[in-house]
Every structure is written in C-alpha cells, then in structure tokens.
Amino acid sequence: MATFGKLFLGVWIALVLVATFLWLPSAVPAAAGGVFSSPDLARIIILHLPNSMVVIVAAFVSGWYALRYLTRGRDPVDDIRSKTSVALAALFCVLATVTGSVFARVEWGAYWNWDPKQICIFLLLLIYAAYFVLRAGIEDAEKRASVCAVYVLFAVVMTPMLGYVVPKYMATQSLHPKNTQFDAAYSWTLLAAGAGFIGLYAWLQNIAVRADLVRMAWEEYQCKE
Amino acid sequence: MQGMMPLLIVALLVWAGVFLFILAVDRRLSHIERIVGKLSIENDSSQDKETGVQ
C-alpha cells in the first residue's frame, strides 16, 4: 500500500469518528417508539457493525486462498495468506464482540445476555481458536497447510451462517432488533466506516503476509549458511 | 453534541495511537525486508561462485 493510501486511510477513519460523534443525530429514544434505551450512545453501532463486515470479508479471503492452495500447486504463500486472513478475522471478531458487549451494557443493561447473536459470535470465536490449535498440532508443514486449508473452507461456510443466517432467520427471540431501518446519515456513516475498516484489514493483511515471507526468507538463508 | 466531545477525543487518540503503531511496524518491516533481500542476493551469488554457475 502506497504511503498516500496509508495516510488517506488514517484521515478517513478519523473523519468517520468525527462524523460518528459530532455529525450523527441521536437515535430515536425508546420512549418515543425507538429501540434504543440510550439514544446518544446508540452510535457505538458505527464502530461495532464494520468489525462484523471485516470478519465476513476476511473469512472469504482466507477461503479463497485456501481453495487456491488446494487446487493450484500447493503454494506455501497461499497458505500464509489464508492463515493471516483467518488471524485477522479472529481479531476483528474479538473487536466486534467487545464493541457489541459495550453496546449491550449501554442499551440492554448487561455486557453479556446470551442473546442468539452473542452465542453465535462466541461459537465463531471458538471455530477460529480451533484453527490455530489445529495449526499448532501438526508438525509437517505441507500436511498442516492442507488440513488447515480444508478446515478454513468449513470456517468460511460457518462465518456467514453464524454471523447472519442463524441469528436473523432461525432465532425466534433476540434482543437484536430484526429488519432495522437506519436513516440516511447512519447508513452513509456505516458505509464509510465499513470501507475504512476493510482498508485497515487490507493493510494489516499486507503487513502480516510480508512479515511471514521475511521469516521464511530468513529461515531459508540460515539453512544455506 | 457537546457531551460527545470527550468520547470523540478519546476515540481519536486511540485511533492515532493504533495508526502510528501500525505505520511504525510497516516501516520497520520494509527495513528488514531490504536487509533480508540483500543477504539472500549475496548468499546466492557467493554460492554461484562456489559452484561455478555464470
């Protein structure tokens, strides 16, 4: 990513924060027929939803590289790209859980309510944690990459299932409002935040892959020495 | 809106810290990439000399 792109990303996310806290109107209070008991702090959602967007994007990127690894000549670089993307999906999943917990405390009175969506994101975190346990448990590099690539394909299917389909269509009771209609200001700020967070993910992915490639090159150099 | 000012300042400070940290890691990594790249090239050329590869 060029220096201009990085600086642009920094300014972009700063502007999203300014818009979130200063430009966005407060949500409709519960007393006036809205769904939020603390309308001013409902804007936390602008920092919560983009994390979930990134989890979905990162999961699909990791799945794409896992598929490439399995079908196109078992290139170790594809395995590295898939692994770093899973790590970032897990990181943004943790961020979504933390920001969601703060939102739940403010709006529903407790950090954790065992709401279907919260249970689903917890299961998703376990699925990502299992990936790293699996990775750590296999010594042979080629076997590890193959087994993990297959597991990533399973995780990719589970991510939208647990993040979207199950809580939206299968849960009968949930604190999360269904069919939420955001007004234009919230929708645009959410889109801008989503674009910024996806840009941040792309930058982190680039750094993590480069770091792994440097480690590989260094190990190769030491072997030759 | 005035009540949101302290939260905005905290959020901006946190983001500035995270952004500068990532930027510093990126710069450092570029530096290490140059060193490792140079070492690999030197290593390859010295091995080529040993084996007589032109």
Side-chain angles (χ1 to χ4, degrees):
Chain A
M1 200 187 267
T3 310
F4 172 77
K6 292 165 197 167
L7 294 177
F8 181 78
L9 180 68
V11 174
W12 181 267
I13 293 184
L15 287 176
V16 165
L17 290 174
V18 172
T20 303
F21 289 102
L22 293 187
W23 179 63
L24 275 187
S26 293
V28 181
V35 289
F36 300 113
S37 58
S38 181
D40 261 350
L41 293 174
R43 62 193 81 216
I44 296 170
I45 214 159
I46 303 291
L47 304 176
H48 168 62
L49 274 184
N51 286 308
S52 311
M53 293 179 197
V54 173
V55 173
I56 304 268
V57 171
F60 278 107
V61 170
S62 65
W64 166 250
Y65 283 116
L67 202 61
R68 257 174 66 130
Y69 179 83
L70 291 171
T71 56
R72 287 195 198 172
R74 316 255 155 166
D75 184 355
V77 179
D78 284 335
D79 176 51
I80 287 172
R81 287 181 179 138
S82 177
K83 179 193 79 177
T84 52
S85 200
V86 173
L88 288 171
L91 171 72
F92 280 94
C93 201
V94 170
L95 289 175
T97 310
V98 171
T99 51
S101 295
V102 173
F103 182 85
R105 174 73 180 86
V106 168
E107 302 295 342
W108 306 323
Y111 286 106
W112 197 261
N113 306 282
W114 293 108
D115 181 75
K117 213 157 195 166
Q118 290 175 331
I119 295 170
C120 284
I121 206 162
F122 178 65
L123 291 176
L124 207 53
L125 279 171
L126 288 182
I127 287 172
Y128 289 135
Y131 172 82
F132 291 101
V133 173
L134 184 66
R135 253 196 117 78
I138 302 172
E139 291 258 331
D140 180 57
E142 204 166 310
K143 191 179 172 191
R144 179 176 59 218
S146 302
V147 172
C148 289
V150 174
Y151 184 86
V152 164
L153 296 179
F154 156 74
V156 169
V157 175
M158 291 312 287
T159 302
M161 281 294 285
L162 289 172
Y164 187 73
V165 178
V166 173
K168 190 168 173 70
Y169 297 106
M170 295 183 184
T172 50
Q173 282 189 322
S174 175
L175 289 167
H176 284 79
K178 287 187 178 180
N179 305 318
T180 314
Q181 294 290 322
F182 290 111
D183 66 16
Y186 268 81
S187 301
W188 283 112
T189 314
L190 261 176
L191 271 178
F197 276 49
I198 288 170
L200 181 63
Y201 154 74
W203 186 16
L204 289 173
Q205 167 81 356
N206 174 276
I207 290 175
V209 170
R210 278 165 50 213
D212 251 9
L213 291 178
V214 163
R215 186 184 51 76
M216 268 175 68
W218 177 247
E219 282 170 3
E220 208 171 294
Y221 170 75
Q222 280 186 321
C223 282
K224 281 180 186 170
E225 281 285 299
Chain B
M1 292 299 152
Q2 288 302 313
M4 290 291 119
M5 210 55 186
L7 281 176
L8 171 64
I9 291 168
V10 171
L12 283 176
L13 283 175
V14 169
W15 168 238
V18 169
F19 180 73
L20 289 175
F21 175 74
I22 301 172
L23 203 61
V25 170
D26 196 353
R27 291 269 162 95
R28 187 83 190 132
L29 184 62
S30 299
H31 181 65
I32 296 170
E33 273 174 331
R34 276 196 294 275
I35 294 170
V36 171
K38 214 181 277 179
L39 283 175
S40 301
I41 291 166
E42 280 171 12
N43 189 277
D44 286 347
S45 59
S46 65
Q47 280 192 344
D48 286 350
K49 273 178 196 165
E50 281 169 21
T51 52
V53 176
Q54 291 296 310

